[in-house]
Amino acid sequence: MTAEYRVAILVVSTSVYQGTTADRAVEHLVGFLRTAGRATWRVIATDVVADDVGQIQRAVTRWTQPAAPRDLHNPDNYFQASADPTIDLLLTSGGTGLSPDDVTPEAVEPLLTRICPGFTAAMLTHSLGITPLATLSRPVCGVRCRTLVLTLPGKPKAAVENLEAVLPSLPHALDLIRGQASSRELHQRMNPSGGAEQHSVAKPQLPPRPTGHGHGHGHRCVHADHPTVVDPSATSHVHHRVAVAHRHRESQFPMVSVAEAGRLIQTQLSTDLGTETLAVTPALVGRVLAQDVVAPVSVPAFRASMVDGYAVRAADGPGIYQVGPASVAGSLAQDVPALTDSAVQGEDQGATAASPTLTAVRVSTGAPVPDGADAVVMVEYTELNAMAADAQEEASIIISGTVQSGENIRAVGSDIQQGQVVLRTGDRLGLAGAELGALVSLGVRQVEVYRRPIVGVFSTGSELVDGPGSAEGATAGGETPLPAGRIYDSNRPALLAALRGHNFPVVDLGIVRDDADTVREFLLKTLKQDATGSRVDVLVSSGGVSMGEKDVLKSVLEHEVGARIHFGRVNMKPGKPTVFATINRPAHPTAAPLLVFALPGNPVSAIVTAHLYVLPTLRRMAHEPAPELPRLTAKLQHDLPLDRRPEYHRGVVMTYFDAGEATAPYHPAPVVAWSATEHQRSSRLLSFANSNALLILPAREPHRAVLEAGSEISVLLIDRLLNHHGF
Ligand SMILES: Nc1nc2c(c(=O)[nH]1)N[C@H]1C(S)=C(S)[C@@H](COP(=O)(O)OP(=O)(O)OC[C@H]3O[C@@H](n4cnc5c(N)ncnc54)[C@H](O)[C@@H]3O)O[C@H]1N2
Ligand code: MOO
Ligand SMILES: [Mg+2]
């Protein structure tokens, strides 16, 4: 009985996809397979996609999924939707050439879990025997889960020739991939006479079979439970997930300095997130303007008094003034009568010793100054001359001093002139509220501001349980005793709190188990969120980036979702395994890449690196004028032992005067620093207790193991600077 294999064919061609060209590849390949022999080839699915990395990857992923239910947060799992787990052979046709549109190898290669250069070689050798133009073809072949993927050329004839070239070994290759044959059987099948060559057949590098999943017919991806390591011999970014015994025993990532890490991030971040027009409300504080604001009106818009007193004509000088109707704050300028000569001259109120000859209008601070008046005399510089008959109102007052024209009057536009540029592109609406207040005072209803990056935060770790800081934990009651071996996910709430505290929109993406397939699908799903509009600009994770067999994040990033890792280790304590990567978005090739900060899982390391790397990056992306953490020089108050790595030690920083110094005409405020706690282990969140700064300690050197009290050190503020004096 001949074996039966299930085949899917994916035509990759924009013109076929758009209907401007008819496809002939499927027909040719199906015709060839019908008569190919060696096995029964059942073409059970075909599809057409454009020359587009995202479309190709989605089709390939759909046909090469393991059948086991996916453990994703969103049940509406795009990649799962039409998964057919039983495709043995996936043939793509088209897009393997050299034109800029040809992206099939770029799309397929990152998805392959094991590359098979033998198939590629067989295809190329065969084709080169037919035409030298075969040099222009760039096929990739390899395994994804239980499916062999071959990228054939687009020309139907060439596609068939390439397939023909590999046909002899195909059935056995597929059996091996399915786990239904051994290499020994293969050799017997290919060389029934046996002999010495038998030993020269290279043993296929199959990863050991996962335990507990049975053999043969299971449709689980054989790699699912295996850690991933980079095969150092692999020249491409295709990875091999191999058993823990074969893992690297040294990190493959060069150790960069903190400064170099900062520079690498800066080369990748985008400040081109666009702008948004927002209503002028208190929520605008902290935002950065993406437009100049021109004053639409003057402030004040009317001549306003700066003091509580009496509006007069300065030229009238000292004398007795009859007090006219008041202008108080809230009076309409139009209702305040003008000061006129005729109103007062020579009138006699008859109520007191002296008679007024002049006139004044009582005004309060901020109230309109009547027309005709050019000065306001403060109430303190006047005396009551006479009361009105009701013994309540002022009838007249005495002004004894001289009065300057313009005194105590805010001229129209003297605070803000209509047409003046009041705020400029790049100005931040400060936390003190003044810029917001200025906009409101001008009646500006909305402004264009830079969009702030949206940050998705997730935790990796199979040991993690949602704690009281999360919605799930709150309903489950975070205090329930945890089984030994489990811990509450404290990194995610801590990181969310810090980022939200700095006014960045955050999305809680939950916990992702330490399993390469789960991590990969989570990342692909997050990338796919392009299409739905709910996309994040920056991903921040914690955990899974060191050397452990379950630390799969770097490998999945690099080899399975097409990320570029810009650094994977930094010479600092804590935070050595910090990873920074970028991933292009398949659905939006022109959009800025997604930035990924994969922070170490140790809680202190995650918080320190979030402040050191993530926060300044987000602020830069948001066009904030001072993106870096504030840095000061401080005097260390006690000896501190040094580490082999430069250390970001949790500390307390305070400005300090003693009473004598405070009275000196000028005395720079000394800044002093000390360690927040002893026992600054990366797991010990209490090392942050009361700390407001990271003390930057140099690495230990042969001649210097301790930094001595009195040393000047650099400190980075992560919270408010303490002020010994209060005010
Ligand atoms: N052989 C080596 N081991 C380790 C090295 C090394 O260079 N070689 N580096 C150490 C350093 S330094 C750090 S930092 C950590 C980083 O570990 P990972 O990023 O791989 O994180 P995990 O292994 O997932 O977890 C480490 C630790 O943190 C706890 N954790 C993780 N996530 C959370 C969370 N969301 N909330 C609370 N606690 C969390 C986890 O349970 C572990 O205890 O690696 C060292 N190892
Ligand atoms: O660098 Mo790790 O962050 O020391 O704990
Ligand atoms: Mg680890």
Side-chain angles (χ1 to χ4, degrees):
M1 197 188 84
T2 54
E4 184 175 295
Y5 303 101
R6 291 158 66 94
V7 182
I9 302 175
L10 180 69
V11 175
V12 183
S13 160
T14 301
S15 60
V16 174
Y17 181 72
Q18 290 173 342
T20 54
T21 313
D23 164 61
R24 292 186 307 115
V26 170
E27 175 196 326
H28 274 68
L29 288 167
V30 169
F32 170 76
L33 287 171
R34 197 173 297 134
T35 57
R38 292 193 177 265
T40 303
W41 306 96
R42 288 186 49 215
V43 177
I44 59 158
T46 65
D47 201 354
V48 179
V49 293
D51 292 293
D52 173 273
V53 171
Q55 286 194 31
I56 299 167
Q57 288 191 332
R58 282 194 285 278
V60 172
T61 314
R62 194 175 71 227
W63 278 332
T64 56
Q65 284 297 318
R70 318 309 298 155
D71 182 16
L72 293 177
H73 296 272
N74 184 354
D76 166 32
N77 178 6
Y78 178 101
F79 294 98
Q80 178 66 8
S82 50
D84 184 337
T86 59
I87 302 288
D88 299 301
L89 177 64
L90 169 54
L91 304 173
T92 71
S93 170
T96 57
L98 278 178
S99 88
D101 289 344
D102 292 324
V103 293
T104 305
E106 285 67 33
V108 170
E109 201 175 73
L111 299 178
L112 300 179
T113 45
R114 284 184 294 152
I115 198 159
C116 301
F119 283 101
T120 314
M123 279 160 49
L124 285 174
T125 310
H126 187 78
S127 304
L128 284 167
I130 298 167
T131 168
L133 289 181
T135 44
L136 308 186
S137 179
R138 306 178 299 124
V140 294
C141 300
V143 180
R144 181 176 158 84
C145 292
R146 296 231 164 177
T147 306
L148 178 66
V149 186
L150 306 179
T151 59
L152 305 173
K155 287 213 172 64
K157 184 167 163 289
V160 167
E161 283 163 6
N162 274 253
L163 186 55
E164 202 174 2
V166 296
L167 189 71
S169 55
L170 264 188
H172 205 83
L174 298 178
D175 288 350
L176 284 167
I177 293 166
R178 284 177 173 186
Q180 286 176 323
S182 66
S183 55
R184 186 181 172 79
E185 287 166 42
L186 163 68
H187 205 81
Q188 276 163 0
R189 207 197 284 187
M190 302 285 283
N191 298 288
S193 58
E197 299 146 76
Q198 206 163 342
H199 303 289
S200 67
V201 173
K203 192 169 178 237
Q205 291 273 305
L206 263 189
R209 201 144 303 292
T211 51
H213 294 123
H215 287 272
H217 296 284
H219 296 302
R220 259 187 88 86
C221 178
V222 291
H223 323 292
D225 288 337
H226 283 268
T228 303
V229 296
V230 182
D231 178 348
S233 67
T235 50
S236 73
H237 54 280
V238 173
H239 82 290
H240 298 239
R241 290 192 199 164
V242 301
V244 66
H246 300 294
R247 70 174 170 183
H248 287 292
R249 292 189 178 266
E250 261 179 40
S251 172
Q252 299 299 291
F253 292 89
M255 184 91 92
V256 300
S257 69
V258 171
E260 178 63 11
R263 276 194 293 275
L264 285 167
I265 295 170
Q266 286 212 37
T267 63
Q268 297 302 317
L269 63 81
S270 167
T271 51
D272 205 10
L273 300 183
T275 62
E276 52 193 344
T277 299
L278 294 184
V280 172
T281 69
L284 211 56
V285 156
R287 302 299 295 256
V288 179
L289 286 171
Q291 63 160 97
D292 290 352
V293 178
V294 175
V297 293
S298 285
V299 177
F302 52 90
R303 294 193 314 144
S305 174
M306 285 158 65
V307 295
D308 301 309
Y310 301 88
V312 297
R313 277 181 301 267
D316 288 347
I320 299 171
Y321 284 73
Q322 181 196 354
V323 178
S327 172
V328 292
S331 298
L332 296 178
Q334 68 201 41
D335 298 337
V336 178
L339 276 186
T340 56
D341 295 346
S342 58
V344 291
Q345 285 301 326
E347 279 187 18
D348 186 355
Q349 298 291 307
T352 57
S355 293
T357 54
L358 306 165
T359 191
V361 169
R362 195 166 66 237
V363 294
S364 59
T365 306
V369 173
D371 287 347
D374 64 351
V376 178
V377 178
M378 279 168 67
V379 65
E380 294 89 327
Y381 299 139
T382 65
E383 290 168 53
L384 180 67
N385 182 54
M387 284 188 291
D390 64 1
Q392 302 292 319
E393 265 295 334
E394 296 168 323
S396 58
I397 56 161
I398 301 168
I399 296 176
S400 336
T402 54
V403 184
Q404 299 294 322
S405 176
E407 187 175 306
N408 294 329
I409 293 180
R410 288 157 63 217
V412 170
S414 58
D415 288 345
I416 300 174
Q417 193 74 52
Q418 183 178 17
Q420 176 191 343
V421 178
V422 272
L423 292 168
R424 292 184 189 278
T425 300
D427 284 350
R428 176 168 172 267
L429 302 188
L431 301 188
E435 292 82 1
L436 177 80
L439 290 177
V440 175
S441 74
L442 291 167
V444 175
R445 286 174 190 281
Q446 53 184 36
V447 284
E448 194 180 353
V449 292
Y450 289 109
R451 188 166 77 74
R452 286 174 87 69
I454 303 167
V455 195
V457 178
F458 68 100
S459 293
T460 70
S462 302
E463 76 277 33
L464 302 177
V465 174
D466 272 316
S470 65
E472 293 81 355
T475 46
E479 285 171 28
T480 318
L482 282 169
R486 291 283 143 82
I487 59 170
Y488 289 122
D489 173 8
S490 62
N491 286 353
R492 193 163 42 106
L495 293 171
L496 286 167
L499 297 172
R500 197 178 282 145
H502 287 279
N503 216 356
F504 288 101
V506 289
V507 183
D508 182 346
L509 297 173
I511 297 170
V512 180
R513 278 193 299 117
D514 284 324
D515 157 80
D517 280 344
T518 311
V519 172
R520 182 189 63 230
E521 299 212 9
F522 169 82
L523 291 172
L524 289 175
K525 184 165 69 87
T526 306
L527 276 171
K528 178 218 138 199
Q529 258 146 16
D530 277 353
T532 65
S534 58
R535 81 170 184 210
V536 297
D537 302 291
V538 177
L539 265 184
V540 176
S541 68
S542 62
V545 289
S546 193
M547 296 293 288
E549 63 191 286
K550 294 292 178 189
D551 292 338
V552 297
L553 194 48
K554 281 185 293 199
S555 176
V556 171
L557 278 169
E558 192 169 31
H559 302 300
E560 303 192 31
V561 300
R564 260 185 76 200
I565 295 187
H566 301 277
F567 60 83
R569 264 193 322 159
V570 191
N571 187 22
M572 62 180 291
K573 177 192 170 172
K576 184 175 68 171
T578 304
V579 175
F580 170 63
T582 50
I583 318 181
N584 287 326
R585 301 167 185 271
H588 291 274
T590 55
L594 177 70
L595 302 190
V596 184
F597 290 91
L599 308 179
N602 271 328
V604 171
S605 317
I607 294 179
V608 168
T609 53
H611 281 81
L612 215 53
Y613 301 116
V614 183
L615 203 54
T617 303
L618 297 177
R619 288 176 172 171
R620 278 211 165 77
M621 293 171 84
H623 290 248
E624 286 201 23
E628 298 296 346
L629 298 178
R631 187 188 277 256
L632 302 171
T633 302
K635 196 168 268 204
L636 186 63
Q637 297 301 288
H638 52 79
D639 291 357
L640 262 183
L642 297 174
D643 190 81
R644 273 192 310 210
R645 291 176 262 162
E647 187 182 350
Y648 289 74
H649 191 97
R650 278 72 71 205
V652 184
V653 172
M654 183 185 262
T655 60
Y656 182 83
F657 294 90
D658 70 29
E661 288 168 337
T663 58
Y666 169 72
H667 194 96
V671 181
V672 295
W674 60 91
S675 172
T677 57
E678 286 181 300
H679 311 305
Q680 298 222 339
R681 220 172 29 201
S682 304
S683 59
R684 191 163 176 265
L685 276 174
L686 290 185
S687 68
F688 271 104
N690 297 314
S691 91
N692 61 353
L694 300 173
L695 317 185
I696 307 178
L697 307 180
R700 184 167 67 217
E701 289 178 56
H703 63 276
R704 189 176 58 185
V706 170
L707 199 63
E708 280 165 9
S711 304
E712 298 256 295
I713 54 169
S714 262
V715 299
L716 294 172
L717 281 186
I718 56 169
D719 211 325
R720 290 175 224 187
L721 178 63
L722 297 188
N723 180 348
H724 179 65
H725 265 310
F727 287 94

